[in-house]
Structure formats: C-alpha cells, structure tokens
Amino acid sequence: MCSEGLSNSFIFNDRNVQRTAFNWTSAAKNGIGTAIHQPEDGQCPSHVWFTLTDGVLTEVYYPDVAHPQLQQLELWVTDGSSFIDRELEDMYHETRLVKEDALLYEQINTAKNGKYKIRKEWIADPGRDTVLVHIQFEALVGTVRDYQLWVCAKPILGGNSLDDVATVQLAKCGSILAAWDCNFSLTIGATPSFQRVTVMDGRAWDTFASSRRLFEFPSQCGLIGGNVVHLGMIQWDGDGSFSSLTLALSFAQQMDIAKQMLDESLSYSFSDLKNQYEQGWRAYVKNLRPPIVAHRQQYYAAAMVIRAHEDKQQPGAIVASLSIPWGTHLPADRPIGGYHLIWPRDLCEVASALVLIGDYPTAQRVLAYLDEVLQRQDGSFPQNAWLDGSPYWTGQQLDETAFPILLAYQLQAMHRYESLVKPAAEYLLKHGPITEQERWEENSGYSPSTLATLIAALVVAAEMAYQADDKELAIICLKKADEWENHIESWTLSRKGTLANHPYYIRISDSPNPDDGHWIELKNGGGWHEKTAVVDAGFLELVRLGIRPADDLSIVQSLNVIDQKLIYHSPSGPLWRRYNGDGYGEYEDGRPYDGAGKGRPWPLLCGERGEYEIAWLSSQRRHSPPNFYTPMKLLRVMENSANDGNLIPEQIWDQDELPLRGLRRNAGTGSATPLIWAMAQYLRLAVCIEEERVVEMPEAVKKRYIDRQYPASQIPLSLHPISIIDSETESIFLIQGRTEAGVTVVVLHHDERFSTVADTEGNFSFHVPVRMMGQHQMDIMACNRSYSLASQRMTAWYRPTHYYTWTNPDSRLEVPILYPTQPVFHSGDFQLLSVAVGADKQRAYFDVELGHLDNPWLGPSGISKQVIDIYIDMDGQNGSGQIWTKDLQVCFAPECGWEKMIRVTGNWHADSGLYNCDWSYSCKVDIWVEDTSRTIHIAIPLEKLGGVPNKGWGFMVFIAGEEYGRIRPVRKVPGDWHFGGGKDEVWGPQFVDWLVPTNSFSGSTFSALPMLRIG
C-alpha cells in the first residue's frame, strides 16, 4: 500500500544496502530562474531557484541559494515497445530566453530520429516553493497517442543522495512522487496526472537506464531508501499532433506542506502563474538604466540573472554562481560549496555594476549584508562563506577586505563608516601590503591587483574618516596609501625578467624585490616557476582604480607581455587567460579539473581590458598599448561568449571540439556558467562605454595619484631631536615639532599611534612609551583638510641600563643541518647571528638576530618559518627548574635547569608566550619583527619574568622550524618540507641552530647542554 501520511520522522536506514551516490550535474547552465522578490514588500513566499542544462532541469535550490535539493529531472519518450529516447542523449537541445524583460526560459528538444519535438517553459510559482514547467509535446510522426512520456527525477535532499526516502502518495491532483530526508521534503505531480508512478533504488535504475527497458518498469508504491529515483508516466490521449501538461515540483520542510503546495500550484492555470512571474521581472527591468550600446536582451539578461542569484532569506547575499564546477564528476554524498557561496570580492564587483545600471536598492542590500553578516570582529572578510557568514575556505585575501570599503564609498554610505569602513581599514593597515592570497586565491606576496585595491580603499577610507571627524585614522590611511603607492613598481615591476627586454609587471612577488630570482609555486598543479616568468593582467586594476594613468609606460609595456603570453584569438575577437601556467581548467584531452589541469580564457578579462581602453582614450596618450581592440569590440566579444540562454561563462574552451566531453570550441567549459562576476563586468563595460569614462573609478584616488592635486610640500613640518625621559613607572620618547596651526598631527610607532592638534603657533609634542630596546622608527605626519600630507620618519635608539649581548660563532653544529628543498626556504632563515638581553625598571627585553627574515605565510606574530625558544636559568643550582626542552628532544645539564622559557612562533595557535618550568603558560609576550635588521624584538613585564637579568643568570636560545603549530622535523635526509642532516630519523635533536657556548663545544651528546651566563 502507499505510504499516505508518512512524515520526515520516518527515515530509511538499511545498513545492508551498499549505496553509491549520484554525481552532481554539469556547471555549464543554459538557464536560471526564480520568482523575483523585493524585500521591502515583506517576507518572500517563494524560495526556489532552478537551473537548466542540456535540455533538462538540473539542480533546484531550496530554501536558499546555498542548498541544492534535486540533481536532475529528465524526460524519456517511448512508444512502449520499440524505442526509448532520453532528453540528454537522443535529442537536439535549444534554450532561449523568451522575453528580454523576464527571466522566462524555454527549452526546445527535438528528437534525433525526427519523430517528435518537446517544448518546455519554466517558471517558479511567485506564491509558493514550487517549480513549474509547461510541457508541449508535438508528434512529428504519427499522433500523440503513439507516445508515452516518462518523468525521471533524482532528488538529492539536503545535498546528500544517500539518505533520501522515496515513495508514491496520493494528493488532490492524483498520484504523486514523494521524497524526504531529515530536514526536507519534495513532491512531484502533474496535470493531467500520472497514469503510472514508481520509485526505484539508484542501482536498479542504472541497470534499467543502461538497458533502455523503461516500458518494463514495475509499478511500485512502497518505500525505497538511500539513492532514489522517481518515475512518472503520461500516456498521451487524442489523435492530433499536439498535447501538453503542467509538471510541478514543490519543496517544504514537512511532507504535508509540500503536498499542499503542490496541489495549490497545480490548481492554477500555468498561464496565470506565468503572467505573475513575468510581471515581477518586468517591474524590475522597468526601473533599470536602459542600454544604448549593449545588446538589449543580453544586457537585461545579465541584470536579471545577477538579481536571481540573491538569496531571499539573507537579502544582499549574491552567490558567485548557481553551479558546482565540474559537478558531473563530484559525488553528491554530502553538502558541497561549489560556487553557491559568497565571495566578498565577487559580491562587491556585482554591486558596483548594479549601481551603474540603476539598481541601487540591491547594491545597498549587498553593503548591509557585508556589514551586518560577513564582516568579522577584526574588520576582515572571509575568503568565501555560507550565507550566514560561516567561512568555507580559510584563506585571507586583503582585496576582499578592501572592496567593501570601495563599495561604501561608491554608495556614499557614511552611516557604514564606524561599523564597516573603519574596522576594515584598520585591518588593512595592520596586515598589508602582503596578502596571503591574491585575487586568483592561490599565492601570497606583493600583488599589483591587491595593492591597487588596498591603496584605493585606504584613500577613500581617509576621505570618509575626515567626514566622520576621525582625523587620526584619515592621516594614517593616507600615509600608508602613499607609502604603498610609492613602492608599487619596486615591489612588482620586474626589470630583469626574461619575458621582455623592458620592465613589466609580474603576477606576484613573494618578497619586496621582484628580481631576486625566487621561485613561486603555481597552485592547481602548475608547478614551480621563477616569479618573473609568471604574469597576469591584474596591474590593470591600478588604472581602473585611479592609481596609474592608462598611458603609463610600464602599464603599456606590460600589456605587450600579456598579449604575447595570455591571449586567445576567438572568431569574435581576443580573450585572455588568467596567467601563464594556470592549472584551473580541463586537461588537454577534456578530462575535468581534479586539482590540476589547464586554465582557459576568461571572458570577464575582456571587460577589464575594455575598461582599460576607455581609460586610455581619456588619458594624455603619451604611450600607446601595442594592441588596441576598441571597447565596443571587446563588449561584443563578451556578448558572443554567452550561450543560447544569454549566460556568460567563467571560462571558454579554446581547443578542438570534444563532443563526448561536452566541450565545444569558444563555448563555456565545465567550470561555471554563468559566472556572476562576468555578467557584472559586462554591464559595467557597457555603461563605461556609454559614459566614455571608467565610471566606478574613485574620484578621490584619481585626484591624488593621477591628477596629483595634493602635494605634500603644502604643509611645513619641522621636528626636534628625539629625547628619552626615564621615570619610575616607564621610559618614554619625547617628540616635539612645529607645523601649521590647527593641523592634526599623528605619530605612528609600530602598532601604536598617537594624535594631537598643533596649537595656535603650530607647536606640538608627544610622549611615546618605549616598548622594545634597540632601534625605533617613528612616522610623524601632519595633514590638513585639503588632504595635503607632510610626513617624516625619525629614528631613536633605546638601550636599557642592564644590557648584555652574545654573537654566535660561525661553526654551530658538527654536522650542519640541511634546509628543506622547497624554494620558500632561504639561506639564513634559521641562522642565529646574535642575541641581546636587556632590562629597565619595567620590562625585560630580548633581541634575536637571524641571517634572513621574511614572513611568506603571514604569521600573525610577523614570522612564519621559525620557532624561537629562549631558556632562562636564574640560579644555576642542581635540581632547580626543568632540564628538558619543549619538543626539541635535547636537555640541559642538571645545574642548568630553567625556570622560565620564552617561545616565539608564527602564533597562529596563540602559543607564543612565557612558560613556567612546569610547562604552564605564564603570560603573552610583546613581539616586534623588524625585517630590515632581521631582528625579532621581544619584551616581557619584569614581574612576570621574576626579576632583572643579572650576574649568574643563564640563557640558551634555539632556532627550529615551525610546521602547523609543531616543530618541523629534522631527519637524516632533507625533503620538501623537513630538514636533513639529523643524527636520527625520529629521536635526534629537532633544532637547526643555537647559541653555542664556545667554538670548541662538542655536540656529540645533547643530553647535558650548558647555558651562557652573565658574569
């Protein structure tokens, strides 16, 4: 009997059934649809989104844009005895957007045997969580009575096809197909109703599908659990050539609600619901800026498809694409992110375009969502995230924190200054300019595109700060922006690279010197390459954001390299790949990306090049790009890259057709169609062409760096020599100077800042606390309301009363430790050169000098590779303190037991600090890393250390490697990520260098190590 009344509480669980999950479907979508909703109208009654691919319905999302619930719904046609045809394999497919002002798609599937044609119009019920399709069947041979139509549906409720339950139930509309899991329910019905219905296990379905024995399916209305398939049959009546039906898929959390929605949706005529669906989209399109140069249907399709990717429960949350890249090869055995996630960068690119076409309300919702949901407490934004802001991947891309600032400026959203702009700017000031990942989400270092967004964001943040009377932050933002702008070429422009005999921008540099010969690893299987041999067009962001003029010689010459290395000439015009060596794409033989492959041309890069050409046309044209394609031609290239559903892909296939792989030359690949960023870039280019300027270029940035309207020389700034004042409670630097009366003056010292206003005669003074010993650099800045900035850097030295230093001898170990073989490890990284110890009345200080110091993985403390341990013996007594080291597998002599130990790491795990001899954590330590002197400064309160370092105190310093919060292993033979030269594969000493007591010390045993003592 049928399972009438069963609810989600009944879950099929047969452990003896071996289950194999369905795979997801192709990411190359031909159509996207949902009922539009204006949040100001109240709660949305329709929370379903559908996707169309290769003539069939693919993933349906419910109750938001992050959760696909259906793998596929396909029609099968048979005469009941001699043939069975599948839509995917046995029909020619055509998809078209029926109207330019409504997201209404029609699929036309024509039998390859010439016997019939199927037309399908898809909508979402504006009042319910139902997807509807009107199916018109046309018999080209015989009459409709000669054919049966089978509906084959594969649910993947909750994103997992292994735990679904399916059966047949009765509803007002007749027999229906029903499925559920713990959280979601699906019902499928039709008018006229199914004459025959059945449910099948996925394994049994594979057998029937491969044998094409559809007409032998047994009728079944029992329960099937696991990987399930729904089948419903329509036997056409009549002697004519045409017949039709309406099919509906309703979703809910409970089965009774899903059935109710199905009955309600099918009780209305399809034409009435279609009219409501169209009217909603028509009202949206009516309020947009009409196109002048763009193809009308493509222009409106881009706007509507972007809008269709916005969630209805989290307004402003627009996912990158309703697709799963290379989904046909990914099992649906768990929820997967795919591209139905939020990327802050893509989100801001989209919102920027929406502003230009007149959709301010959606752009405002995006900004509110960024502010109220996505932004983290430290001011940053996640690499990507689920709709509720929960991170999906965990990388940190500084441009994704900069773009929301630019969007707030574009929208003139001063009410977002305190909540969004200020904390984001503070984060950039603290963590820039080196980014953990650039916009292609792969490499760390100095990136032209990231630098462009950082500089522009800080300049506009400064303008907003001034409007908010936050002059201190405004001045610091301008100072840092000017500093980074001044280093763009020295950090990212190669003058010795082998790709050209002139300077050119590289994709990314892992160090401040682009020509130091370092190699970088290209992710996605790209391998290791000398960094000057890898280029992308990210430097064009310097032009788009107003930092460099389009006719700048370095920009123009770099385009020559881009056009030589990355261009692809399609029949409609040029397209470009992301960078040479890119592995994110199908293999040469069409196999899907699996962590490696070959990157293909990206149409959105056409739009970026088009915006550059618009900027060049309005420049002084001192230097000309080697190839000028015209912005209009590039707009047409983007239009021609769209498929028959007007969807622009992420990548296009640039080789000969591979029909068995579904790859056609110059058509979208299996990565993602549509890419919402590409749709937005198309709209932005169209408006920029009409306006004859780069419309989104921040005016404040252009004035500062292209027009040079704010010369620093307008403000006088004179400083007195820095003096030191000692007291019982602290030591301070006294800074005094003179500037314009009433001007705000700021001192920036490491991560501290101080501000004041010059008096009526222009005098000012600061008391800056001493935090570290050694060299201190301080930036003193003055800025007026005209944004003119004067700045000077001063240096002061602080050596406390108690001061001791040791220089390490050249020979440290009998057998030198060999570094890991990965190019990220450089000579001197683990070479201990000197150690200094000092103390005043408040603090103890330690300075550790290394042979080389950088921070490639952006450790929060300022280092990435090293672990620095400082062991302190205060009394030199036998049996006092701890003789074992922490994780280094060596120990001290009994008279050298330590009472305190300082550990400094990258501090991802908050393990840097002062430790007691019982291994307990005592307190945090202040760390200041100075790259120029290769010195790590450490400071600790005296009361925590236990006294002033003095005669008889012993010290020992070890340098080891850090690996995910542990000690990087030292083995006999070096590997990619471990050291070599050790005495034992497992139990040998695990440090690389140490503070050797004498040149004659023998390291044959490390079970009774000495200490260096003051004395």
Side-chain angles (χ1 to χ4, degrees):
M1 72 185 228
C2 294
S3 54
E4 182 71 23
L6 284 176
S7 70
N8 301 60
S9 61
F10 183 92
I11 301 301
F12 186 88
N13 185 17
D14 186 348
R15 296 185 179 182
N16 296 319
V17 175
Q18 184 176 359
R19 302 167 184 169
T20 302
F22 290 130
N23 284 356
W24 297 103
T25 66
S26 170
K29 306 305 179 187
N30 299 96
I32 301 284
T34 189
I36 194 169
H37 172 65
Q38 302 296 347
E40 57 269 21
D41 294 338
Q43 187 174 1
C44 178
S46 179
H47 298 88
V48 287
W49 292 257
F50 62 84
T51 65
L52 307 174
T53 304
D54 294 332
V56 302
L57 174 70
T58 50
E59 287 88 1
V60 175
Y61 292 77
Y62 165 84
D64 53 40
V65 289
H67 290 90
Q69 306 286 358
L70 180 84
Q71 188 243 27
Q72 180 177 283
L73 186 147
E74 181 186 12
L75 301 183
W76 292 52
V77 179
T78 178
D79 62 357
S81 59
S82 66
F83 79 90
I84 300 174
D85 286 350
R86 298 183 58 177
E87 279 189 301
L88 280 170
E89 298 176 0
D90 303 305
M91 305 180 198
Y92 300 110
H93 310 131
E94 178 187 350
T95 302
R96 69 186 188 96
L97 194 58
V98 178
K99 298 181 179 180
E100 68 178 26
D101 59 354
L103 210 53
L104 177 66
Y105 280 97
E106 181 184 46
Q107 291 176 312
I108 305 171
N109 297 333
T110 305
K112 293 180 179 179
N113 58 23
K115 293 183 176 181
Y116 57 86
K117 178 182 290 187
I118 300 172
R119 293 178 178 270
K120 299 183 291 184
E121 278 192 331
W122 294 91
I123 64 168
D125 186 338
R128 294 158 198 86
D129 297 325
T130 303
V131 175
L132 296 115
V133 56
H134 183 70
I135 302 171
Q136 183 188 72
F137 185 89
E138 179 183 1
L140 302 177
V141 175
T143 67
V144 294
R145 189 188 297 273
D146 299 326
Y147 302 91
Q148 294 175 5
L149 188 72
W150 282 83
V151 175
C152 171
K154 299 178 181 179
I156 304 184
L157 296 172
N160 184 352
S161 67
L162 297 180
D163 63 355
D164 296 336
V165 181
T167 188
V168 175
Q169 295 192 5
L170 292 175
K172 292 179 181 178
C173 60
S175 296
I176 65 170
L177 302 163
W180 64 89
D181 69 357
C182 294
N183 299 305
F184 302 104
S185 297
L186 163 66
T187 55
I188 304 175
T191 53
S193 62
F194 296 123
Q195 282 100 2
R196 190 174 169 192
V197 287
T198 188
V199 291
M200 296 191 67
D201 173 74
R203 292 173 303 153
W205 164 253
D206 290 340
T207 300
F208 279 99
S210 60
S211 65
R212 298 291 179 102
R213 296 160 57 192
L214 189 63
F215 33 81
E216 297 180 10
F217 281 176
S219 295
Q220 177 175 323
C221 60
L223 289 173
I224 296 292
N227 202 21
V228 299
V229 178
H230 279 143
L231 294 166
M233 188 268 282
I234 298 291
Q235 174 68 62
W236 301 113
D237 290 328
D239 297 322
S241 298
F242 293 91
S243 193
S244 64
L245 68 91
T246 298
L247 183 72
L249 299 86
S250 294
F251 297 83
Q253 292 183 341
Q254 295 296 325
M255 178 56 66
D256 56 347
I257 298 176
K259 291 174 65 176
Q260 178 183 342
M261 284 193 176
L262 184 73
D263 282 329
E264 289 179 0
S265 292
L266 289 175
S267 69
Y268 291 90
S269 71
F270 181 84
S271 60
D272 288 344
L273 294 177
K274 183 175 80 168
N275 287 337
Q276 294 178 33
Y277 179 83
E278 290 180 356
Q279 287 170 8
W281 282 110
R282 195 171 296 120
Y284 171 72
V285 168
K286 183 179 179 181
N287 291 320
L288 299 180
R289 170 184 177 139
I292 298 174
V293 299
H295 184 278
R296 286 181 62 86
Q297 180 154 306
Q298 183 61 57
Y299 178 92
Y300 287 132
M304 290 188 291
V305 169
I306 290 173
R307 188 67 170 75
H309 279 70
E310 181 184 14
D311 191 56
K312 297 169 185 176
Q313 298 186 52
Q314 286 278 15
I318 300 176
V319 294
S321 178
L322 287 172
S323 64
I324 300 170
W326 296 286
T328 52
H329 294 76
L330 297 175
D333 55 3
R334 58 185 172 82
I336 189 171
Y339 274 10
H340 45 272
L341 295 166
I342 303 295
W343 272 263
R345 173 182 43 254
D346 297 39
L347 191 56
C348 291
E349 296 275 14
V350 166
S352 170
L354 293 176
V355 172
L356 302 190
I357 65 170
D359 187 1
Y360 288 92
T362 303
Q364 293 283 5
R365 291 196 298 274
V366 167
L367 186 62
Y369 172 73
L370 287 163
D371 184 5
E372 299 166 14
V373 179
L374 274 193
Q375 191 172 29
R376 297 188 281 211
Q377 288 188 346
D378 63 1
S380 69
F381 288 82
Q383 177 182 359
N384 56 11
W386 295 104
L387 298 178
D388 64 358
S390 302
Y392 186 71
W393 292 335
T394 57
Q396 188 58 51
Q397 301 167 15
L398 291 183
D399 66 337
E400 294 203 296
T401 298
F403 271 117
I405 298 176
L406 293 168
L407 179 61
Y409 175 79
Q410 185 181 17
L411 289 169
Q412 300 180 354
M414 277 302 301
H415 62 290
R416 300 284 176 186
Y417 172 74
E418 288 290 341
S419 57
L420 184 151
V421 173
K422 182 174 182 176
E426 295 276 16
Y427 186 88
L428 297 180
L429 290 169
K430 183 177 181 180
H431 293 88
I434 301 172
T435 184
E436 181 184 330
Q437 295 178 350
E438 32 69 271
R439 69 174 183 164
W440 301 134
E441 305 193 280
E442 298 169 1
N443 288 83
S444 66
Y446 299 86
S447 155
S449 62
T450 300
L451 282 171
T453 58
L454 300 188
I455 293 165
L458 290 182
V459 171
V460 303
E463 183 163 304
M464 297 179 76
Y466 258 114
Q467 294 179 36
D469 201 30
D470 189 355
K471 297 176 183 177
E472 179 182 298
L473 182 62
I475 292 172
I476 294 172
C477 285
L478 289 178
K479 173 65 173 66
K480 193 61 68 174
D482 288 352
E483 178 184 320
W484 294 348
E485 183 269 341
N486 192 48
H487 283 88
I488 290 171
E489 285 76 13
S490 66
W491 288 340
T492 63
L493 188 73
S494 172
R495 292 171 173 82
K496 300 179 181 178
T498 59
L499 299 186
N501 58 4
H502 55 69
Y504 60 90
Y505 285 102
I506 62 175
R507 176 190 163 201
I508 197 163
S509 177
D510 65 333
S511 73
N513 180 4
D515 290 312
D516 59 9
H518 289 181
W519 286 49
I520 61 172
E521 182 184 15
L522 301 184
K523 308 301 182 182
N524 302 310
W528 288 86
H529 301 264
E530 205 280 321
K531 62 186 175 184
T532 62
V534 184
V535 294
D536 80 339
F539 60 87
L540 293 182
E541 290 289 89
L542 296 168
V543 176
R544 187 178 74 87
L545 294 175
I547 299 165
R548 290 289 180 269
D551 61 351
D552 177 85
L553 181 59
S554 296
I555 297 287
V556 167
Q557 289 180 332
S558 297
L559 281 175
N560 185 48
V561 180
I562 295 301
D563 287 350
Q564 290 177 7
K565 289 294 180 180
L566 306 181
I567 200 167
Y568 166 70
H569 294 285
S570 75
S572 59
L575 294 108
W576 289 268
R577 301 172 181 89
R578 296 195 302 175
Y579 58 87
N580 50 325
D582 186 8
Y584 187 62
E586 283 89 350
Y587 288 89
E588 297 279 356
D589 60 4
R591 282 178 296 133
Y593 169 80
D594 58 3
K598 181 180 178 180
R600 306 294 168 176
W602 288 50
L604 76 84
L605 298 177
C606 259
E608 293 188 350
R609 183 64 171 262
E611 287 201 64
Y612 162 77
E613 292 194 352
I614 292 169
W616 184 85
L617 288 171
S618 60
S619 72
Q620 298 178 22
R621 307 188 189 183
R622 296 167 299 170
H623 305 285
S624 301
N627 300 297
F628 192 83
Y629 300 101
T630 76
M632 276 302 302
K633 180 173 183 177
L634 295 172
L635 184 73
R636 297 295 178 243
V637 173
M638 292 195 76
E639 290 173 347
N640 290 330
S641 71
N643 60 22
D644 54 359
N646 298 106
L647 305 183
I648 300 175
E650 178 185 78
Q651 303 179 44
I652 64 148
W653 183 245
D654 55 354
Q655 295 181 194
D656 292 338
E657 294 192 7
L658 297 173
L660 295 180
R661 298 281 188 185
L663 295 169
R664 295 184 296 109
R665 194 176 186 90
N666 305 311
T669 69
S671 61
T673 305
L675 183 67
I676 298 307
W677 181 5
M679 304 290 269
Q681 180 60 70
Y682 168 76
L683 293 173
R684 202 164 64 191
L685 176 57
V687 175
C688 289
I689 292 173
E690 294 172 6
E691 296 285 328
E692 297 182 347
R693 63 188 179 93
V694 179
V695 183
E696 76 278 10
M697 183 183 293
E699 188 65 20
V701 183
K702 177 178 179 292
K703 287 180 178 179
R704 190 166 196 87
Y705 299 123
I706 295 180
D707 301 338
R708 298 290 173 178
Q709 292 187 9
Y710 309 119
S713 59
Q714 287 186 0
I715 302 178
L717 179 63
S718 60
L719 301 170
H720 304 306
I722 297 176
S723 59
I724 299 176
I725 303 174
D726 290 314
S727 69
E728 289 296 324
T729 58
E730 65 177 345
S731 298
I732 63 171
F733 294 115
L734 176 62
I735 300 173
Q736 297 175 304
R738 188 169 185 171
T739 183
E740 288 181 0
V743 161
T744 299
V745 185
V746 175
V747 172
L748 187 62
H749 177 232
H750 189 37
D751 58 355
E752 294 183 303
R753 61 185 186 232
F754 311 87
S755 65
T756 189
V757 176
D759 64 21
T760 55
E761 295 183 356
N763 297 315
F764 61 86
S765 65
F766 293 91
H767 287 181
V768 178
V770 174
R771 303 298 188 199
M772 304 287 174
M773 66 180 180
Q775 178 178 282
H776 292 251
Q777 288 188 331
M778 285 164 272
D779 291 313
I780 297 89
M781 300 159 282
C783 187
N784 59 20
R785 290 290 296 178
S786 299
Y787 304 114
S788 291
L789 178 69
S791 175
Q792 291 188 35
R793 175 165 291 179
M794 300 190 73
T795 301
W797 284 86
Y798 178 68
R799 176 170 291 187
T801 305
H802 304 274
Y803 184 79
Y804 313 94
T805 184
W806 295 272
T807 301
N808 221 21
D810 290 337
S811 177
R812 290 167 291 281
L813 295 173
E814 291 180 339
V815 179
I817 299 299
L818 304 176
Y819 285 12
T821 57
Q822 287 287 343
V824 71
F825 296 99
H826 304 300
S827 176
D829 279 344
F830 305 92
Q831 181 184 8
L832 177 60
L833 298 181
S834 68
V835 176
V837 179
D840 55 24
K841 297 176 182 179
Q842 302 84 33
R843 293 179 160 213
Y845 305 96
F846 300 84
D847 283 358
V848 178
E849 180 189 4
L850 301 180
H852 180 266
L853 188 58
D854 61 5
N855 189 15
W857 301 309
L858 305 182
S861 68
I863 63 174
S864 298
K865 307 172 188 174
Q866 302 88 354
V867 173
I868 300 164
D869 280 356
I870 304 173
Y871 293 87
I872 306 168
D873 174 20
M874 300 178 183
D875 55 19
Q877 300 295 316
N878 275 333
S880 171
Q882 171 68 253
I883 64 170
W884 280 101
T885 55
K886 184 175 174 61
D887 311 317
L888 301 182
Q889 298 183 177
V890 295
C891 65
F892 293 101
E895 69 275 11
C896 297
W898 54 272
E899 285 76 34
K900 299 289 183 180
M901 187 267 282
I902 301 167
R903 170 159 284 187
V904 175
T905 69
N907 212 36
W908 290 282
H909 306 281
D911 51 355
S912 293
L914 179 68
Y915 291 81
N916 300 312
C917 60
D918 61 359
W919 309 110
S920 63
Y921 183 84
S922 175
C923 68
K924 65 173 290 188
V925 297
D926 291 333
I927 304 166
W928 176 17
V929 176
E930 191 176 19
D931 294 336
T932 54
S933 64
R934 308 178 309 283
T935 300
I936 297 143
H937 303 277
I938 307 161
I940 306 171
L942 277 182
E943 66 269 18
K944 293 294 185 180
L945 185 63
V948 175
N950 217 321
K951 185 176 180 179
W953 282 42
F955 298 89
M956 181 51 63
V957 181
F958 295 98
I959 309 296
E962 179 174 9
E963 182 179 59
Y964 301 112
R966 301 185 297 273
I967 299 297
R968 189 175 296 278
V970 178
R971 297 173 180 159
K972 288 186 177 181
V973 179
D976 283 352
W977 299 103
H978 64 261
F979 297 98
K983 293 180 176 295
D984 187 279
E985 280 295 311
V986 178
W987 300 111
Q990 296 297 295
F991 62 88
V992 183
D993 201 358
W994 66 316
L995 190 60
V996 181
T998 66
N999 284 328
S1000 60
F1001 176 80
S1002 173
S1004 58
T1005 175
F1006 287 95
S1007 60
L1009 293 178
M1011 288 211 178
L1012 273 72
R1013 295 194 181 273
I1014 298 173

